[in-house]
Amino acid sequence: MNHFTQGALTPILAYVMSCMGSMLGLRLTAQANASTGSSRARWLVGAAISIGGTGIWVMHFIAMMGFDVEGTEIRYDVPLTVASALVAVIFVGAGLFLVAYGRAKVPALLGGGLLTGLGVAAMHYMGMYAMNMSAHVSYDPTIVAASVVIAVVAATVALWFTLRVRRAVAITGAALIMGVAVCGMHYTGMFAMAVQVQHEPGHVGGADALSFLVPLMTVVSLITLTMLLMVILSPSQEELREDAELMARLEMRRQAAARAQTLRAPQPVPAGPPAQRGRAAQRRAAQARSQYGGQEYSGQEYNGSEYGGPEYGGPDPRRARAPQGQGQGYPYPRN
């Protein structure tokens, strides 16, 4: 049994893919934390595909490309292999949703880490069980338990990173740590396996790695690259915050301009008798009464009568206003 038939190529490539998937997943969770509603759920689904699909499942089977058992051919059960990919994505997604909507509380973090870690371990051993060979496979329970513990701890740390990291440097460092944890869990689980080749090898069913795993991993990688382009083209959390602050400032300026315009506008004089008007309206009414013989000015020339002067047989308003000693009918003093 040899885990490195391709030398250092498969472990290095597996680690790189794990880091890429983790990095993209953390970037997507950062977008999710800055979003609300259905948009937030879509970003979390993308993060589950990135971390569970690329960061864990693709990493696992790239590492398995370097695994070989002398004396038997290795093929893969197609339905079980596809099911292992779905398990990884679903359990990682469940942990992400639990933590994202659990308001960053410790019970939600621990529960999400336990759920995700068990899902990662289940994916790993389902992928190993999907291998068909003419051999008897057994596992060391102690090492298996250690690999499960590593998976749970790694998943909890990964979920904690999804809540804390925002900037590119922090996301890169967290992805490197997550890649080490995922690869460590994988090779610990592989170390727990013991293979005893049968003396009379029989027919081995399933698909070989080149005709099945390579195209499937290519499809998952293309999906990951598509989501990476979506993240690059989408505004970052800082840009979203700056846009929100700009909109808030514009709204404050609009409200201030509306208040200033309201204060500059003339206030209408309320209708009703003089007792119900303002002081300015009462002063204007008093001036009108003193000017027009003690009566309200109704908008016509003399006391509300258009032709009420002496020319038409009416009283002369000028004589009525003339003070004593100045003569009757003269509006001004005599020389």
Side-chain angles (χ1 to χ4, degrees), residues 59-68 76 128 131 186 190:
M59 172 269 151
H60 171 84
F61 282 101
I62 287 178
M64 294 303 296
M65 297 290 291
F67 178 73
D68 183 53
Y76 293 90
M128 294 176 66
M131 293 188 302
H186 169 81
M190 293 295 293

Side-chain angles (χ1 to χ4, degrees), residues 135-150:
H136 175 71
V137 179
S138 60
Y139 296 92
D140 188 331
T142 303
I143 301 179
V144 170
S147 67
V148 173
V149 172
I150 294 174

